[in-house]
Amino acid sequence: MKITLLEPFFTGSHAAWAEEYARYSRHQVEIITLPGRHWKWRMHGGAVALAHRFLDSKFQPDLLLATDMLDLTTFLALTRSKSAPCKAAVYFHENQLTYPWSPDDADKALNRDMHYAFINYASALAADAVFFNSAYHHDAFMAELPCFLKAMPDKREWSSIQSIGRKSRVLHLGMDLRPLDPHRQVQSEPAIRPPLVLWNHRWEYDKNPEGFFGVLERLAARNLDFEVAVLGENFSNAPGVFHEARERLGARIIQFGFAKSFAEYARWLWEADILPVTSYHDFFGASVVQAVYCGCLPLLPKRLAYPEHLPDELHGQFFYDGETELEVKLEGLLKVAHPSTEMLRDAVSRYDWQVMAGVYDEVLEKVVSE
């Protein structure tokens, strides 16, 4: 089978997902992309640019696989001379109906934010199949559709919700986890050092860095022994709490900033002991899965997509309700010997492309054959 994968925001996890699926799939996968910047313009105009490139390509696919950043309706309209015989699927890494808007974004106050949600809604309607990277993501999107349509003045077409629901399913994110393995440092004897607490997410408001550093600062005030590694992609407008915490935690922070290479990033994941997660928002949580795969003990909020990653019998140990319970459980992990992480690693290994590539291939074959 031939697949054209359309990604107008080719960076970070979007780029990794596209390149890795193309690498591991048994199908022929052509990737057509645009640089991962100006996300609003990509959602508006990316379809036009990608349509030109698609029409110029000699590759004739059986399936178009677009991500949520593409206005699929515009793309199909502009390419119908070539795309008419193709089935089309859309993969939602995120969606603009339920993605929390930055408090600094002017479009929210000006009521210009709903158009991006409409692009996602219309793309889902136009597609033959709709995939979500987690069950939480699927459920949140479907639950929000009635509220979204209710805000429209008339002709709300309620039946479109059922239409989208019938062709939607969960297709968990595929990840290249095995390349992390060679960076594990095998030591003949356990190192004598304080527990290492990890942050490996984007430096953005929706990851709730205030909650993360607030807990650590309270534990530091009680003289608990620990160190902190702060990784993750950071931006010029990153929340100020990161630099404030660096001053307050001082020498406890032994790494501060984006890892310069994959090898460096992987080494920190293997080195870290505990991953307290405080995010308000996560449609999947790729950075959490990577850390757990590398033996880091997670403390996860009992919400969002996180409960899907671990079996029910581990939830009591590694999930929390509210910041107070997080603080209590983190203090406990800092004081006692760490349990085995093999069950945790086994749980998230199912997301590796060694497993997921075959799942994707079969699912996408059905889209074309049905």
Side-chain angles (χ1 to χ4, degrees):
M1 191 168 73
K2 293 183 177 180
I3 300 171
T4 293
L5 196 159
L6 301 161
E7 178 52 83
F9 201 76
F10 192 71
T11 189
S13 60
H14 285 225
W17 175 83
E19 289 182 327
E20 289 163 10
Y21 177 57
R23 184 184 313 138
Y24 292 109
S25 174
R26 63 175 174 259
H27 302 307
Q28 287 182 259
V29 182
E30 173 196 53
I31 306 175
I32 305 179
T33 70
L34 294 172
R37 54 179 181 263
H38 315 306
W39 74 266
K40 293 179 181 180
W41 174 232
R42 291 293 180 263
M43 290 195 73
H44 282 293
V48 180
L50 291 182
H52 286 302
R53 294 180 57 184
F54 174 72
L55 291 172
D56 288 341
S57 170
K58 295 180 180 179
F59 189 83
Q60 178 60 54
D62 304 293
L63 174 71
L64 300 171
L65 177 58
T67 70
D68 55 276
M69 295 299 289
L70 181 74
D71 181 350
L72 182 60
T73 58
T74 298
F75 179 88
L76 292 175
L78 294 173
T79 62
R80 60 187 180 273
S81 62
K82 182 177 179 180
S83 63
C86 305
K87 291 292 184 73
V90 60
Y91 189 87
F92 279 88
H93 290 282
E94 57 264 322
N95 78 82
Q96 299 304 317
L97 279 79
T98 64
Y99 198 104
W101 278 68
S102 167
D104 301 323
D105 197 312
D107 277 354
K108 182 72 173 176
L110 295 170
N111 293 318
R112 290 196 301 229
D113 56 305
M114 292 186 70
H115 183 65
Y116 304 101
F118 187 85
I119 291 173
N120 283 165
Y121 163 71
S123 293
L125 272 178
D128 296 292
V130 181
F131 300 109
F132 293 89
N133 60 358
S134 69
Y136 160 74
H137 191 180
H138 168 272
D139 295 347
F141 182 87
M142 296 306 301
E144 187 62 24
L145 278 176
C147 301
F148 173 73
L149 293 178
K150 190 176 181 180
M152 304 306 164
D154 65 2
K155 304 295 182 183
R156 297 181 179 92
E157 302 297 329
W158 298 109
S159 63
S160 65
I161 298 175
Q162 287 72 39
S163 175
I164 293 172
R166 283 192 296 269
K167 57 187 175 182
S168 296
R169 62 163 289 174
V170 177
L171 186 58
H172 283 117
L173 190 74
M175 300 181 66
D176 211 358
L177 296 171
R178 286 173 297 162
L180 292 164
D181 291 337
H183 302 286
R184 184 177 191 174
Q185 302 295 312
V186 179
Q187 297 175 336
S188 56
E189 296 182 6
I192 300 174
R193 58 167 177 75
L196 181 59
V197 177
L198 177 68
W199 170 286
N200 67 327
H201 326 292
R202 296 189 318 273
W203 293 22
E204 293 193 40
Y205 69 97
D206 61 306
K207 302 305 179 188
N208 186 21
E210 291 82 2
F212 175 85
F213 288 116
V215 168
L216 292 186
E217 289 169 18
R218 290 192 294 274
L219 294 177
R222 299 205 290 273
N223 294 318
L224 269 78
D225 197 16
F226 64 88
E227 295 176 328
V228 187
V230 182
L231 305 173
E233 192 171 5
N234 50 77
F235 306 94
S236 59
N237 60 344
V241 67
F242 283 93
H243 293 283
E244 295 165 8
R246 188 180 192 183
E247 292 183 7
R248 289 195 287 262
L249 290 172
R252 291 177 183 271
I253 296 184
I254 61 173
Q255 161 65 24
F256 188 81
F258 192 67
K260 296 177 182 178
S261 66
F262 176 80
E264 181 184 352
Y265 175 69
R267 284 195 297 271
W268 279 114
L269 295 191
W270 285 111
E271 186 76 14
D273 298 298
I274 308 170
L275 181 78
V277 176
T278 54
S279 300
Y280 294 134
H281 161 76
D282 226 338
F283 285 125
F284 180 81
S287 61
V288 172
V289 168
Q290 288 175 323
V292 171
Y293 180 84
C294 291
C296 204
L297 294 172
L299 286 174
L300 304 169
K302 203 177 296 182
R303 50 186 171 79
L304 305 176
Y306 305 128
E308 298 173 48
H309 299 327
L310 302 181
D312 291 344
E313 59 266 28
L314 296 179
H315 284 199
Q317 189 172 8
F318 297 110
F319 284 84
Y320 67 86
D321 281 312
E323 203 167 283
T324 299
E325 187 177 3
L326 168 61
E327 188 171 331
V328 170
K329 288 194 168 185
L330 179 53
E331 181 174 357
L333 286 179
L334 292 174
K335 288 180 176 179
V336 301
H338 292 170
S340 170
T341 61
E342 286 306 310
M343 284 187 67
L344 294 167
R345 179 183 168 92
D346 289 346
V348 299
S349 292
R350 61 196 165 103
Y351 298 129
D352 188 86
W353 280 116
Q354 190 173 18
V355 176
M356 292 301 296
V359 175
Y360 274 60
D361 286 346
E362 291 180 11
V363 167
L364 296 179
E365 284 170 10
K366 288 181 180 179
V367 175
V368 172
S369 63
E370 290 177 351

